[in-house]
Amino acid sequence: MSAYASTVVDAPADEVWGYLRDFGNLAEWLPGIDLCVIEEGGDSRPGTVRRLEGLGGVYRERLLTLDDDSRSATYEILECPLPVRDYRAVYRVSPVTDSGRAFVEWSATFAADDVAKLDKVFVRGVFEPGLAALHGRFRPGA
């Protein structure tokens, strides 16, 4: 199964990507995340592991790829309180060529016993609030 959300942010793609490429800053912009610390690795290199607290528990995630050319990153969940398996997510930032704004996509594939329920959890509880928070962060004059 896959979960997906997208938005257009009123800022240049390179500026939005410059912020999102930091694998250790999730608590700064994702509602519900109280703490984000790098446990292994660093500098947003593949293999870096972060620990998150919030959204009902503790999560550990590993950065798998970070590609500045395509403005995309892929990560996996190592541990979490949700009944999900084989979770891999990607977020990507692309330029909207006619406006100079950024198109941001966030998607995940995963396995679960109740796929429909977890799809809603990820889309409505994580992706959509996170993308909405980016609007506020990059709002002109913010």
Side-chain angles (χ1 to χ4, degrees), residues 1-130:
M1 182 63 179
S2 64
Y4 177 86
S6 65
T7 194
V8 175
V9 175
D10 194 18
D14 286 338
E15 183 180 342
V16 175
W17 173 246
Y19 185 71
L20 289 180
R21 76 178 304 283
D22 182 351
F23 196 61
N25 73 357
L26 200 62
E28 291 178 17
W29 63 272
L30 183 61
I33 297 296
D34 302 315
L35 178 70
C36 177
V37 295
I38 299 298
E39 289 187 333
E40 299 172 26
D43 298 328
S44 296
R45 292 185 313 261
T48 297
V49 174
R50 67 184 175 194
R51 183 171 59 82
L52 311 170
E53 294 180 10
L55 298 175
V58 175
Y59 298 73
R60 290 183 71 241
E61 300 174 337
R62 178 180 14 243
L63 182 63
L64 299 173
T65 66
L66 182 83
D67 187 334
D68 287 322
D69 291 335
S70 68
R71 295 182 207 86
S72 66
T74 305
Y75 66 94
E76 66 182 340
I77 290 179
L78 301 174
E79 299 172 22
C80 79
L82 301 171
V84 64
R85 301 175 304 281
D86 303 320
Y87 179 99
R88 287 197 177 204
V90 62
Y91 50 93
R92 177 176 293 114
V93 180
S94 302
V96 178
T97 58
D98 69 347
S99 69
R101 299 187 312 168
F103 179 65
V104 183
E105 298 177 277
W106 196 353
S107 63
T109 59
F110 58 90
D113 293 338
D114 191 344
V115 171
K117 179 179 179 183
L118 283 169
D119 180 65
K120 288 179 186 173
V121 167
F122 290 122
V123 172
R124 294 186 183 151
V126 180
F127 298 171
E128 289 177 354

